[in-house]
């Protein structure tokens, strides 16, 4: 059994629900190398064995609708986006979970859990639903 320390739980209470700017890796097709882009993300959880890594969901404007998932891209209202420090209407990509190191966090923009706990719970539910589907494959 893994023992989760009090310090870790306090750390997650501080970070869970935060909208942050973080570095996401991508492959630059034109230059044929990996690079990083600063992008917003929602911190969902930490890992019990490390207080240095977080599970995050990317946040995107999705200007190219062919990448839009009607089931798992959660559309934030423009008003909520502005309250969270996002300048355009955005989607939380509940099916694009990734891990980041704490060192990759550049800035905290807002706190979804504090600003709109109902939306945060809906995002958590969508992420869990996607995990259930993914694990059945």
């Amino acid at each position: 059994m893994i023992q989760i320390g009090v310090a870790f739980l306090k750390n997650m209470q501080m970070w869970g629900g935060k909208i942050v700017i973080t570095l996401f890796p991508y492959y630059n097709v034109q230059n044929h190398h990996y690079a990083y882009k600063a992008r917003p993300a929602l911190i969902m959880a930490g890992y019990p064995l490390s207080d240095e890594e977080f599970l995050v969901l990317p946040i995107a404007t999705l200007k190219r609708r062919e990448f839009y998932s009607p089931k798992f891209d959660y559309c934030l209202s423009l008003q909520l986006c502005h309250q969270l420090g996002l300048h355009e209407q955005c989607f939380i990509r509940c099916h694009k979970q990734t891990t980041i190191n704490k060192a990759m966090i550049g800035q905290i923009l807002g706190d979804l859990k504090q600003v709109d706990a109902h939306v945060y719970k809906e995002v958590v539910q969508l992420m869990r639903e996607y995990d259930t589907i993914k694990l059945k494959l």
Side-chain angles (χ1 to χ4, degrees), residues 50-68:
S50 169
D51 64 354
E52 297 294 317
E53 293 183 320
F54 297 111
L55 177 68
V56 300
L57 299 177
I59 298 174
T61 56
L62 292 179
K63 300 221 186 296
R64 294 179 62 188
R65 292 299 175 169
E66 64 265 28
F67 297 122
Y68 173 70

Side-chain angles (χ1 to χ4, degrees), residues 4-16:
I4 299 176
V6 174
F8 170 77
L9 292 175
K10 286 182 182 175
N11 190 29
M12 276 321 302
Q13 289 172 351
M14 183 185 92
W15 287 101

Side-chain angles (χ1 to χ4, degrees), residues 22-47:
T22 187
L23 295 175
F24 278 102
Y26 74 98
Y27 185 73
N28 185 321
V29 178
Q30 294 173 332
N31 297 335
H32 304 290
H33 67 82
Y34 285 94
Y36 291 90
K37 287 184 180 181
R39 295 280 188 242
L42 172 62
I43 296 179
M44 298 304 294
Y47 289 93

Side-chain angles (χ1 to χ4, degrees), residues 2 7 26 28 30 40-41 45 62 86 88 93 112 116 119 137:
I2 297 172
Y26 74 98
N28 185 321
Q30 294 173 332
L62 292 179
L86 302 165
E88 298 180 61
R93 312 216 62 211
L112 180 59
D116 195 328
V119 168
L137 297 177

Side-chain angles (χ1 to χ4, degrees), residues 40 59-61 74-78 81 86-92:
I59 298 174
T61 56
Y74 189 95
C75 182
L76 298 172
S77 71
L78 187 56
C81 288
L86 302 165
H87 303 295
E88 298 180 61
Q89 186 163 28
C90 295
F91 297 83
I92 298 175

